[in-house]
Amino acid sequence: MGSSGGFAANGGRCFDVFNGDADGICALHMLRLAEPREVELVTGVKRDIALLGRVAVQPGDMVTVLDISLDKNRAALLDVLAAGAAVDYFDHHFAGEIPEHAGLRCHINTAATICTGLIVHGHLQGRFAPWAVVAAFGDNMDEAALALGHGVGLSDSELETLKTLGVCLNYNGYGESVADLLFHPADLYREIQPWEDPLAMVAEAPTYQVLREGYARDMAQAWQLSPQAHSEQGAVYVLPDAPWSRRVSGVFGNALTQRYPERAHAVLTRRGEGGYTVSVRAALNRRDGADALCRQFEGGGGRKAAAGINHLAEAELERFLGLFSAL
């Protein structure tokens, strides 16, 4: 958690709670470009989604939540509301039943073709569209990103640049802990904070080059692997217990779906203490079922097209593979 000593207009404190991936970072960036605010940042690695429990609020505080499942943060959300804070909630993951509370404003859409950045883009009535394009590319929603980008007049070469930026921002979010990442997500958000134009950031910010070089280096190792099992419907890859494989565990799955859009993919990364961290991607031509599959396992969740399991025990591997084969 990083602190900037933020205060709401009524004297309460302000907290921005956001997923540490491309979608969460870009969504927050757009919101704060439109509504600058001194805040306390609460974030972590992409899979660290139980973030609201870290926020200790008082009456009059303002909490903005972006790109983390309401269902996974339900108890903490109710505690925050009961303590007298107001909450703005932007998300596209499985939410379950949404609480009714005067202090809660929800902007939630779980459609398979929308991400939190696109939800914020709509909330801001189309402002800062290039950053919404980056968010969508980062969340492996290329069709939505291209449609928006072409709609606002971006060229094919500009869109390719924004795609690389989105993928690299997303790549930085994956890891067992922040020690695996090239940048802490709060620091990465601060790095992009000065840039209203993502194309200018790409041209001028050293941060982008660090991310791009790291991504290329790690993905080169991933592409050397062969699937442990594959069929016309799906493929399973197993990555070793290593920092580079933890960093690419999600973006490798995204890249596989782009290369083989008719197949579902599961990327299992071995954990040092045993078991696996799992990333699941539904086939691009279906975009459904990944979250329902992963929620059948402890620590599992996500969205229809992309989901994961934080720790799949060895004893559960056979059951997982059986369920995955039907995705």
Side-chain angles (χ1 to χ4, degrees):
M1 182 188 298
S3 175
S4 301
F7 291 93
N10 62 0
R13 298 167 300 166
C14 296
F15 299 87
D16 283 343
V17 183
F18 61 103
N19 197 319
D21 69 354
D23 194 23
I25 290 173
C26 292
L28 174 59
H29 183 45
M30 288 187 288
L31 201 60
R32 292 292 158 252
L33 284 172
E35 304 167 8
R37 185 181 295 170
E38 288 296 316
V39 301
E40 191 167 324
L41 301 176
V42 183
T43 188
V45 298
K46 180 177 174 66
R47 290 180 180 273
D48 188 2
I49 58 171
L51 296 172
L52 261 182
R54 299 184 191 174
V55 181
V57 298
Q58 301 168 357
D61 288 350
M62 178 69 215
V63 182
T64 303
V65 186
L66 303 108
D67 203 39
I68 60 174
S69 166
L70 188 154
D71 189 59
K72 295 293 185 182
N73 289 268
R74 184 179 308 278
L77 173 61
L78 294 175
D79 287 344
V80 166
L81 292 168
V87 179
D88 278 346
Y89 212 116
F90 298 83
D91 190 43
H92 67 134
H93 299 89
F94 175 77
E97 185 176 351
I98 298 175
E100 292 187 11
H101 192 284
L104 175 63
R105 293 186 297 183
C106 279
H107 313 264
I108 293 179
N109 185 338
T110 60
T113 55
I114 196 164
C115 62
T116 304
L118 292 173
I119 294 171
V120 171
H121 174 256
H123 173 69
L124 298 177
Q125 300 181 321
R127 298 176 67 187
F128 314 114
W131 280 111
V133 171
V134 175
F137 274 132
D139 242 21
N140 204 33
M141 297 182 181
D142 287 19
E143 288 185 13
L146 291 169
L148 176 57
H150 286 136
V152 297
L154 293 170
S155 69
D156 288 343
S157 63
E158 289 172 331
L159 286 168
E160 192 61 33
T161 298
L162 295 184
K163 179 176 181 177
T164 304
L165 175 60
V167 168
C168 288
L169 291 175
N170 209 48
Y171 152 79
N172 184 77
Y174 284 94
E176 191 69 26
S177 70
V178 293
D180 287 332
L181 311 184
L182 300 186
F183 297 92
H184 190 292
D187 294 335
L188 186 54
Y189 165 70
R190 293 186 183 100
E191 287 288 326
I192 75 169
Q193 214 171 4
W195 304 96
E196 183 171 329
D197 179 4
L199 292 168
M201 178 197 168
V202 166
E204 301 178 38
T207 304
Y208 171 72
Q209 294 303 325
V210 173
L211 290 173
R212 187 176 182 181
E213 291 168 8
Y215 173 79
R217 183 174 58 248
D218 290 346
M219 284 293 286
Q221 297 193 71
W223 285 120
Q224 293 176 17
L225 301 174
S226 298
Q228 180 166 301
H230 67 93
S231 67
E232 290 185 2
Q233 290 74 38
V236 178
Y237 286 76
V238 179
L239 276 57
D241 175 24
W244 72 265
S245 59
R246 293 191 288 272
R247 288 193 293 268
V248 301
S249 60
V251 290
F252 184 46
N254 290 345
L256 286 166
T257 64
Q258 294 292 335
R259 183 172 290 191
Y260 307 104
E262 73 287 352
R263 293 194 325 204
H265 292 88
V267 177
L268 282 64
T269 306
R270 295 187 185 276
R271 297 170 61 103
E273 69 274 25
Y276 307 86
T277 300
V278 180
S279 288
V280 175
R281 299 293 182 268
L284 280 183
N285 58 10
R286 292 192 299 276
R287 288 187 177 273
D288 192 30
D291 58 342
L293 166 62
C294 291
R295 287 201 309 273
Q296 296 182 60
F297 298 86
E298 184 177 356
R303 52 189 174 85
K304 294 177 181 180
I309 304 167
N310 288 339
H311 188 182
L312 180 71
E314 290 277 0
E316 291 275 57
L317 178 60
E318 186 174 347
R319 183 167 78 95
F320 169 80
L321 293 175
L323 292 169
F324 173 75
S325 67
L327 181 64

Short mmCIF file of all heavy atoms in Angstrom, two decimals, residues 184-242:
data_model
loop_
_atom_site.label_atom_id
_atom_site.label_comp_id
_atom_site.label_asym_id
_atom_site.label_seq_id
_atom_site.Cartn_x
_atom_site.Cartn_y
_atom_site.Cartn_z
N HIS A 184 6.61 -2.65 -8.87
CA HIS A 184 5.43 -2.75 -8.02
C HIS A 184 4.28 -2.06 -8.76
O HIS A 184 4.47 -0.99 -9.35
CB HIS A 184 5.68 -2.06 -6.68
CG HIS A 184 4.61 -2.30 -5.66
ND1 HIS A 184 3.34 -1.80 -5.79
CD2 HIS A 184 4.63 -3.01 -4.50
CE1 HIS A 184 2.61 -2.18 -4.76
NE2 HIS A 184 3.37 -2.92 -3.96
N PRO A 185 3.07 -2.65 -8.78
CA PRO A 185 1.98 -2.03 -9.53
C PRO A 185 1.68 -0.59 -9.12
O PRO A 185 1.30 0.23 -9.99
CB PRO A 185 0.79 -2.95 -9.23
CG PRO A 185 1.43 -4.28 -8.99
CD PRO A 185 2.72 -3.98 -8.27
N ALA A 186 1.82 -0.25 -7.85
CA ALA A 186 1.61 1.15 -7.44
C ALA A 186 2.65 2.06 -8.08
O ALA A 186 2.34 3.18 -8.52
CB ALA A 186 1.64 1.28 -5.93
N ASP A 187 3.90 1.59 -8.14
CA ASP A 187 4.95 2.38 -8.78
C ASP A 187 4.72 2.49 -10.28
O ASP A 187 4.99 3.54 -10.89
CB ASP A 187 6.32 1.75 -8.50
CG ASP A 187 6.70 1.81 -7.03
OD1 ASP A 187 6.20 2.70 -6.32
OD2 ASP A 187 7.48 0.94 -6.58
N LEU A 188 4.23 1.40 -10.90
CA LEU A 188 3.97 1.44 -12.34
C LEU A 188 2.84 2.42 -12.64
O LEU A 188 2.92 3.19 -13.61
CB LEU A 188 3.61 0.04 -12.84
CG LEU A 188 3.44 -0.11 -14.35
CD1 LEU A 188 4.67 0.38 -15.11
CD2 LEU A 188 3.12 -1.55 -14.71
N TYR A 189 1.82 2.44 -11.81
CA TYR A 189 0.75 3.43 -11.98
C TYR A 189 1.33 4.85 -11.89
O TYR A 189 0.99 5.71 -12.71
CB TYR A 189 -0.34 3.23 -10.93
CG TYR A 189 -1.27 4.42 -10.82
CD1 TYR A 189 -2.16 4.73 -11.85
CD2 TYR A 189 -1.21 5.27 -9.72
CE1 TYR A 189 -2.98 5.85 -11.77
CE2 TYR A 189 -2.04 6.39 -9.63
CZ TYR A 189 -2.92 6.66 -10.66
OH TYR A 189 -3.73 7.78 -10.59
N ARG A 190 2.20 5.09 -10.92
CA ARG A 190 2.80 6.42 -10.78
C ARG A 190 3.65 6.77 -11.99
O ARG A 190 3.76 7.94 -12.38
CB ARG A 190 3.63 6.49 -9.50
CG ARG A 190 2.81 6.38 -8.21
CD ARG A 190 3.67 6.62 -6.99
NE ARG A 190 2.93 6.45 -5.75
CZ ARG A 190 2.96 5.36 -4.99
NH1 ARG A 190 3.73 4.34 -5.35
NH2 ARG A 190 2.25 5.28 -3.89
N GLU A 191 4.28 5.75 -12.62
CA GLU A 191 5.09 5.99 -13.81
C GLU A 191 4.23 6.48 -14.98
O GLU A 191 4.68 7.30 -15.79
CB GLU A 191 5.83 4.72 -14.20
CG GLU A 191 6.99 4.35 -13.28
CD GLU A 191 8.18 5.28 -13.43
OE1 GLU A 191 8.42 5.75 -14.56
OE2 GLU A 191 8.86 5.53 -12.43
N ILE A 192 3.01 5.95 -15.11
CA ILE A 192 2.17 6.37 -16.24
C ILE A 192 1.32 7.58 -15.91
O ILE A 192 0.74 8.21 -16.80
CB ILE A 192 1.28 5.22 -16.75
CG1 ILE A 192 0.10 4.95 -15.81
CG2 ILE A 192 2.08 3.96 -17.00
CD1 ILE A 192 -0.93 4.02 -16.41
N GLN A 193 1.25 7.94 -14.64
CA GLN A 193 0.38 9.03 -14.18
C GLN A 193 0.58 10.35 -14.94
O GLN A 193 -0.39 11.05 -15.23
CB GLN A 193 0.57 9.25 -12.68
CG GLN A 193 -0.67 9.68 -11.94
CD GLN A 193 -0.48 9.66 -10.44
OE1 GLN A 193 0.60 9.39 -9.92
NE2 GLN A 193 -1.54 9.98 -9.71
N PRO A 194 1.81 10.73 -15.30
CA PRO A 194 1.97 12.02 -16.00
C PRO A 194 1.50 12.02 -17.45
O PRO A 194 1.43 13.08 -18.07
CB PRO A 194 3.49 12.25 -15.95
CG PRO A 194 4.02 11.32 -14.90
CD PRO A 194 3.12 10.14 -14.95
N TRP A 195 1.18 10.85 -18.01
CA TRP A 195 0.98 10.76 -19.45
C TRP A 195 -0.50 10.68 -19.81
O TRP A 195 -1.17 9.67 -19.59
CB TRP A 195 1.69 9.52 -20.01
CG TRP A 195 3.14 9.49 -19.69
CD1 TRP A 195 3.76 8.84 -18.65
CD2 TRP A 195 4.18 10.16 -20.40
NE1 TRP A 195 5.11 9.06 -18.68
CE2 TRP A 195 5.41 9.87 -19.74
CE3 TRP A 195 4.20 10.97 -21.54
CZ2 TRP A 195 6.62 10.37 -20.18
CZ3 TRP A 195 5.42 11.47 -21.97
CH2 TRP A 195 6.61 11.17 -21.30
N GLU A 196 -1.02 11.74 -20.42
CA GLU A 196 -2.38 11.69 -20.93
C GLU A 196 -2.45 10.92 -22.23
O GLU A 196 -3.46 10.31 -22.56
CB GLU A 196 -2.91 13.12 -21.14
CG GLU A 196 -4.37 13.16 -21.60
CD GLU A 196 -4.95 14.56 -21.59
OE1 GLU A 196 -4.54 15.39 -20.75
OE2 GLU A 196 -5.83 14.83 -22.45
N ASP A 197 -1.34 10.90 -22.98
CA ASP A 197 -1.28 10.20 -24.26
C ASP A 197 -0.36 8.99 -24.12
O ASP A 197 0.85 9.13 -23.92
CB ASP A 197 -0.73 11.14 -25.33
CG ASP A 197 -0.61 10.48 -26.70
OD1 ASP A 197 -1.01 9.30 -26.84
OD2 ASP A 197 -0.10 11.13 -27.63
N PRO A 198 -0.90 7.77 -24.23
CA PRO A 198 -0.04 6.59 -24.09
C PRO A 198 1.01 6.48 -25.18
O PRO A 198 2.08 5.90 -24.95
CB PRO A 198 -1.03 5.42 -24.15
CG PRO A 198 -2.25 5.96 -24.83
CD PRO A 198 -2.31 7.40 -24.45
N LEU A 199 0.74 7.02 -26.37
CA LEU A 199 1.74 6.97 -27.43
C LEU A 199 2.95 7.82 -27.07
O LEU A 199 4.10 7.46 -27.39
CB LEU A 199 1.12 7.44 -28.76
CG LEU A 199 0.06 6.51 -29.34
CD1 LEU A 199 -0.68 7.20 -30.48
CD2 LEU A 199 0.70 5.20 -29.82
N ALA A 200 2.73 8.93 -26.39
CA ALA A 200 3.85 9.75 -25.93
C ALA A 200 4.64 9.03 -24.86
O ALA A 200 5.88 9.10 -24.83
CB ALA A 200 3.33 11.09 -25.40
N MET A 201 3.94 8.30 -23.99
CA MET A 201 4.65 7.54 -22.97
C MET A 201 5.56 6.51 -23.62
O MET A 201 6.73 6.34 -23.23
CB MET A 201 3.65 6.83 -22.05
CG MET A 201 4.34 5.97 -21.00
SD MET A 201 3.25 4.77 -20.22
CE MET A 201 4.48 3.77 -19.36
N VAL A 202 5.04 5.79 -24.61
CA VAL A 202 5.84 4.77 -25.30
C VAL A 202 7.09 5.40 -25.91
O VAL A 202 8.19 4.83 -25.87
CB VAL A 202 4.99 4.09 -26.39
CG1 VAL A 202 5.86 3.28 -27.34
CG2 VAL A 202 3.95 3.18 -25.74
N ALA A 203 6.95 6.58 -26.48
CA ALA A 203 8.07 7.23 -27.16
C ALA A 203 9.11 7.76 -26.20
O ALA A 203 10.30 7.83 -26.55
CB ALA A 203 7.54 8.36 -28.04
N GLU A 204 8.70 8.13 -24.98
CA GLU A 204 9.61 8.89 -24.12
C GLU A 204 9.94 8.24 -22.78
O GLU A 204 10.96 8.60 -22.18
CB GLU A 204 9.00 10.27 -23.85
CG GLU A 204 8.75 11.09 -25.11
CD GLU A 204 8.10 12.43 -24.81
OE1 GLU A 204 8.45 13.05 -23.80
OE2 GLU A 204 7.22 12.86 -25.60
N ALA A 205 9.14 7.30 -22.30
CA ALA A 205 9.34 6.79 -20.94
C ALA A 205 10.23 5.56 -20.94
O ALA A 205 9.92 4.56 -21.60
CB ALA A 205 7.99 6.45 -20.31
N PRO A 206 11.34 5.57 -20.19
CA PRO A 206 12.20 4.38 -20.09
C PRO A 206 11.47 3.16 -19.53
O PRO A 206 11.83 2.02 -19.82
CB PRO A 206 13.31 4.84 -19.14
CG PRO A 206 13.30 6.34 -19.21
CD PRO A 206 11.88 6.72 -19.45
N THR A 207 10.43 3.41 -18.72
CA THR A 207 9.65 2.32 -18.13
C THR A 207 9.15 1.35 -19.19
O THR A 207 9.20 0.13 -19.02
CB THR A 207 8.45 2.89 -17.36
OG1 THR A 207 8.92 3.82 -16.39
CG2 THR A 207 7.66 1.80 -16.67
N TYR A 208 8.68 1.89 -20.29
CA TYR A 208 8.13 1.04 -21.35
C TYR A 208 9.19 0.11 -21.92
O TYR A 208 8.92 -1.08 -22.16
CB TYR A 208 7.53 1.91 -22.45
CG TYR A 208 7.14 1.14 -23.69
CD1 TYR A 208 6.03 0.30 -23.67
CD2 TYR A 208 7.88 1.23 -24.87
CE1 TYR A 208 5.67 -0.42 -24.80
CE2 TYR A 208 7.52 0.51 -25.99
CZ TYR A 208 6.42 -0.32 -25.96
OH TYR A 208 6.08 -1.03 -27.07
N GLN A 209 10.38 0.62 -22.13
CA GLN A 209 11.44 -0.22 -22.69
C GLN A 209 11.83 -1.34 -21.74
O GLN A 209 12.09 -2.47 -22.16
CB GLN A 209 12.66 0.65 -23.04
CG GLN A 209 12.42 1.64 -24.16
CD GLN A 209 11.94 0.97 -25.45
OE1 GLN A 209 12.35 -0.13 -25.78
NE2 GLN A 209 11.05 1.66 -26.16
N VAL A 210 11.86 -1.05 -20.45
CA VAL A 210 12.16 -2.09 -19.46
C VAL A 210 11.12 -3.20 -19.53
O VAL A 210 11.45 -4.40 -19.54
CB VAL A 210 12.23 -1.49 -18.05
CG1 VAL A 210 12.36 -2.59 -16.99
CG2 VAL A 210 13.38 -0.51 -17.93
N LEU A 211 9.85 -2.82 -19.59
CA LEU A 211 8.78 -3.80 -19.67
C LEU A 211 8.85 -4.60 -20.97
O LEU A 211 8.71 -5.83 -20.97
CB LEU A 211 7.42 -3.11 -19.57
CG LEU A 211 7.04 -2.52 -18.22
CD1 LEU A 211 5.74 -1.72 -18.34
CD2 LEU A 211 6.90 -3.60 -17.16
N ARG A 212 9.07 -3.91 -22.08
CA ARG A 212 9.08 -4.59 -23.37
C ARG A 212 10.23 -5.60 -23.46
O ARG A 212 10.04 -6.72 -23.95
CB ARG A 212 9.20 -3.55 -24.49
CG ARG A 212 9.06 -4.13 -25.88
CD ARG A 212 9.08 -3.06 -26.94
NE ARG A 212 8.88 -3.62 -28.26
CZ ARG A 212 8.88 -2.91 -29.38
NH1 ARG A 212 9.03 -1.59 -29.32
NH2 ARG A 212 8.70 -3.49 -30.54
N GLU A 213 11.39 -5.22 -22.98
CA GLU A 213 12.54 -6.13 -23.02
C GLU A 213 12.33 -7.33 -22.10
O GLU A 213 12.66 -8.46 -22.45
CB GLU A 213 13.82 -5.38 -22.65
CG GLU A 213 14.25 -4.37 -23.70
CD GLU A 213 15.34 -3.43 -23.21
OE1 GLU A 213 15.86 -3.66 -22.09
OE2 GLU A 213 15.65 -2.47 -23.95
N GLY A 214 11.75 -7.09 -20.91
CA GLY A 214 11.48 -8.19 -20.00
C GLY A 214 10.46 -9.15 -20.55
O GLY A 214 10.62 -10.38 -20.46
N TYR A 215 9.42 -8.61 -21.16
CA TYR A 215 8.38 -9.44 -21.75
C TYR A 215 8.96 -10.32 -22.87
O TYR A 215 8.70 -11.54 -22.92
CB TYR A 215 7.26 -8.56 -22.30
CG TYR A 215 6.20 -9.30 -23.09
CD1 TYR A 215 5.21 -10.01 -22.44
CD2 TYR A 215 6.22 -9.28 -24.48
CE1 TYR A 215 4.24 -10.69 -23.17
CE2 TYR A 215 5.25 -9.96 -25.22
CZ TYR A 215 4.27 -10.67 -24.56
OH TYR A 215 3.32 -11.34 -25.28
N ALA A 216 9.72 -9.73 -23.76
CA ALA A 216 10.30 -10.48 -24.87
C ALA A 216 11.22 -11.58 -24.36
O ALA A 216 11.20 -12.71 -24.87
CB ALA A 216 11.05 -9.53 -25.81
N ARG A 217 12.02 -11.28 -23.37
CA ARG A 217 12.96 -12.26 -22.82
C ARG A 217 12.23 -13.44 -22.18
O ARG A 217 12.56 -14.60 -22.41
CB ARG A 217 13.86 -11.56 -21.81
CG ARG A 217 14.94 -12.43 -21.20
CD ARG A 217 15.86 -11.59 -20.33
NE ARG A 217 15.15 -10.90 -19.26
CZ ARG A 217 14.98 -9.58 -19.19
NH1 ARG A 217 15.46 -8.80 -20.14
NH2 ARG A 217 14.32 -9.02 -18.19
N ASP A 218 11.22 -13.15 -21.37
CA ASP A 218 10.50 -14.22 -20.68
C ASP A 218 9.63 -15.04 -21.62
O ASP A 218 9.55 -16.27 -21.51
CB ASP A 218 9.63 -13.63 -19.56
CG ASP A 218 10.46 -13.09 -18.41
OD1 ASP A 218 11.66 -13.39 -18.33
OD2 ASP A 218 9.89 -12.35 -17.57
N MET A 219 8.98 -14.38 -22.57
CA MET A 219 8.12 -15.11 -23.51
C MET A 219 8.93 -16.01 -24.43
O MET A 219 8.44 -17.07 -24.88
CB MET A 219 7.28 -14.13 -24.31
CG MET A 219 6.11 -13.54 -23.53
SD MET A 219 4.84 -14.77 -23.11
CE MET A 219 4.07 -14.99 -24.71
N ALA A 220 10.15 -15.62 -24.74
CA ALA A 220 10.99 -16.48 -25.57
C ALA A 220 11.20 -17.84 -24.91
O ALA A 220 11.23 -18.88 -25.59
CB ALA A 220 12.34 -15.81 -25.83
N GLN A 221 11.31 -17.86 -23.59
CA GLN A 221 11.45 -19.12 -22.87
C GLN A 221 10.14 -19.90 -22.89
O GLN A 221 10.13 -21.13 -23.05
CB GLN A 221 11.88 -18.87 -21.43
CG GLN A 221 13.25 -18.21 -21.30
CD GLN A 221 13.77 -18.27 -19.88
OE1 GLN A 221 14.15 -19.32 -19.37
NE2 GLN A 221 13.77 -17.11 -19.22
N ALA A 222 9.02 -19.21 -22.75
CA ALA A 222 7.72 -19.89 -22.74
C ALA A 222 7.44 -20.57 -24.07
O ALA A 222 6.92 -21.71 -24.11
CB ALA A 222 6.61 -18.90 -22.40
N TRP A 223 7.76 -19.90 -25.18
CA TRP A 223 7.46 -20.48 -26.49
C TRP A 223 8.30 -21.72 -26.80
O TRP A 223 7.98 -22.47 -27.74
CB TRP A 223 7.64 -19.44 -27.59
CG TRP A 223 6.55 -18.42 -27.67
CD1 TRP A 223 6.68 -17.06 -27.54
CD2 TRP A 223 5.15 -18.65 -27.90
NE1 TRP A 223 5.46 -16.44 -27.66
CE2 TRP A 223 4.50 -17.39 -27.89
CE3 TRP A 223 4.39 -19.80 -28.10
CZ2 TRP A 223 3.13 -17.26 -28.08
CZ3 TRP A 223 3.01 -19.66 -28.29
CH2 TRP A 223 2.40 -18.42 -28.28
N GLN A 224 9.34 -21.96 -26.03
CA GLN A 224 10.13 -23.18 -26.23
C GLN A 224 9.44 -24.42 -25.65
O GLN A 224 9.84 -25.55 -25.94
CB GLN A 224 11.51 -23.01 -25.57
CG GLN A 224 12.38 -21.97 -26.25
CD GLN A 224 13.70 -21.75 -25.53
OE1 GLN A 224 14.11 -22.58 -24.71
NE2 GLN A 224 14.37 -20.66 -25.83
N LEU A 225 8.41 -24.23 -24.84
CA LEU A 225 7.72 -25.34 -24.20
C LEU A 225 6.71 -25.98 -25.14
O LEU A 225 6.11 -25.31 -25.98
CB LEU A 225 7.00 -24.87 -22.93
CG LEU A 225 7.88 -24.24 -21.84
CD1 LEU A 225 7.00 -23.71 -20.72
CD2 LEU A 225 8.87 -25.27 -21.29
N SER A 226 6.51 -27.27 -24.99
CA SER A 226 5.46 -27.99 -25.70
C SER A 226 4.33 -28.28 -24.74
O SER A 226 4.54 -28.43 -23.53
CB SER A 226 6.01 -29.32 -26.26
OG SER A 226 7.04 -29.09 -27.20
N PRO A 227 3.09 -28.37 -25.23
CA PRO A 227 1.98 -28.66 -24.33
C PRO A 227 2.10 -30.05 -23.72
O PRO A 227 2.55 -30.99 -24.39
CB PRO A 227 0.75 -28.55 -25.23
CG PRO A 227 1.26 -28.74 -26.62
CD PRO A 227 2.65 -28.20 -26.63
N GLN A 228 1.70 -30.15 -22.47
CA GLN A 228 1.70 -31.47 -21.82
C GLN A 228 0.56 -32.33 -22.36
O GLN A 228 0.68 -33.55 -22.43
CB GLN A 228 1.55 -31.31 -20.31
CG GLN A 228 1.55 -32.63 -19.55
CD GLN A 228 1.74 -32.43 -18.07
OE1 GLN A 228 2.75 -31.88 -17.63
NE2 GLN A 228 0.77 -32.87 -17.28
N ALA A 229 -0.52 -31.68 -22.75
CA ALA A 229 -1.65 -32.36 -23.38
C ALA A 229 -2.33 -31.38 -24.30
O ALA A 229 -2.38 -30.19 -24.02
CB ALA A 229 -2.64 -32.86 -22.32
N HIS A 230 -2.86 -31.87 -25.43
CA HIS A 230 -3.57 -30.97 -26.33
C HIS A 230 -4.52 -31.76 -27.22
O HIS A 230 -4.33 -32.95 -27.47
CB HIS A 230 -2.60 -30.14 -27.18
CG HIS A 230 -1.82 -30.94 -28.18
ND1 HIS A 230 -2.23 -31.12 -29.48
CD2 HIS A 230 -0.65 -31.60 -28.07
CE1 HIS A 230 -1.33 -31.85 -30.12
NE2 HIS A 230 -0.37 -32.16 -29.30
N SER A 231 -5.55 -31.07 -27.66
CA SER A 231 -6.53 -31.61 -28.58
C SER A 231 -7.04 -30.45 -29.42
O SER A 231 -6.57 -29.31 -29.28
CB SER A 231 -7.68 -32.26 -27.81
OG SER A 231 -8.42 -31.26 -27.11
N GLU A 232 -8.03 -30.72 -30.27
CA GLU A 232 -8.60 -29.62 -31.05
C GLU A 232 -9.32 -28.63 -30.15
O GLU A 232 -9.44 -27.45 -30.48
CB GLU A 232 -9.58 -30.18 -32.08
CG GLU A 232 -8.92 -30.95 -33.20
CD GLU A 232 -9.92 -31.38 -34.26
OE1 GLU A 232 -11.12 -31.03 -34.12
OE2 GLU A 232 -9.52 -32.05 -35.21
N GLN A 233 -9.81 -29.09 -28.99
CA GLN A 233 -10.59 -28.23 -28.10
C GLN A 233 -9.75 -27.47 -27.07
O GLN A 233 -10.14 -26.41 -26.61
CB GLN A 233 -11.64 -29.06 -27.35
CG GLN A 233 -12.78 -29.56 -28.22
CD GLN A 233 -12.36 -30.72 -29.12
OE1 GLN A 233 -11.58 -31.58 -28.72
NE2 GLN A 233 -12.87 -30.73 -30.35
N GLY A 234 -8.59 -28.02 -26.68
CA GLY A 234 -7.84 -27.37 -25.62
C GLY A 234 -6.42 -27.88 -25.51
O GLY A 234 -6.06 -28.92 -26.06
N ALA A 235 -5.60 -27.10 -24.77
CA ALA A 235 -4.21 -27.48 -24.55
C ALA A 235 -3.80 -27.08 -23.14
O ALA A 235 -4.27 -26.06 -22.61
CB ALA A 235 -3.29 -26.81 -25.58
N VAL A 236 -2.93 -27.89 -22.55
CA VAL A 236 -2.45 -27.66 -21.19
C VAL A 236 -0.93 -27.54 -21.23
O VAL A 236 -0.24 -28.41 -21.77
CB VAL A 236 -2.84 -28.82 -20.25
CG1 VAL A 236 -2.28 -28.59 -18.86
CG2 VAL A 236 -4.36 -28.98 -20.21
N TYR A 237 -0.43 -26.44 -20.68
CA TYR A 237 1.01 -26.22 -20.57
C TYR A 237 1.39 -26.20 -19.09
O TYR A 237 0.65 -25.66 -18.26
CB TYR A 237 1.41 -24.88 -21.21
CG TYR A 237 1.39 -24.88 -22.72
CD1 TYR A 237 0.19 -24.80 -23.42
CD2 TYR A 237 2.57 -24.95 -23.45
CE1 TYR A 237 0.16 -24.79 -24.80
CE2 TYR A 237 2.56 -24.94 -24.83
CZ TYR A 237 1.35 -24.85 -25.51
OH TYR A 237 1.34 -24.85 -26.88
N VAL A 238 2.55 -26.76 -18.78
CA VAL A 238 3.07 -26.74 -17.41
C VAL A 238 4.40 -26.00 -17.41
O VAL A 238 5.34 -26.39 -18.11
CB VAL A 238 3.24 -28.17 -16.85
CG1 VAL A 238 3.80 -28.11 -15.43
CG2 VAL A 238 1.90 -28.91 -16.86
N LEU A 239 4.46 -24.92 -16.63
CA LEU A 239 5.66 -24.09 -16.54
C LEU A 239 6.42 -24.43 -15.26
O LEU A 239 5.81 -24.82 -14.26
CB LEU A 239 5.29 -22.61 -16.55
CG LEU A 239 5.07 -21.93 -17.90
CD1 LEU A 239 3.98 -22.62 -18.72
CD2 LEU A 239 4.73 -20.46 -17.72
N PRO A 240 7.74 -24.25 -15.27
CA PRO A 240 8.53 -24.57 -14.08
C PRO A 240 8.35 -23.54 -12.97
O PRO A 240 7.80 -22.45 -13.19
CB PRO A 240 9.97 -24.55 -14.61
CG PRO A 240 9.92 -23.59 -15.75
CD PRO A 240 8.58 -23.79 -16.39
N ASP A 241 8.82 -23.88 -11.79
CA ASP A 241 8.81 -22.97 -10.65
C ASP A 241 9.99 -22.01 -10.81
O ASP A 241 11.12 -22.31 -10.41
CB ASP A 241 8.93 -23.78 -9.35
CG ASP A 241 9.06 -22.89 -8.12
OD1 ASP A 241 8.62 -21.72 -8.18
OD2 ASP A 241 9.63 -23.36 -7.11
N ALA A 242 9.73 -20.86 -11.43
CA ALA A 242 10.79 -19.89 -11.69
C ALA A 242 10.16 -18.51 -11.83
O ALA A 242 9.01 -18.39 -12.25
CB ALA A 242 11.55 -20.24 -12.98
#
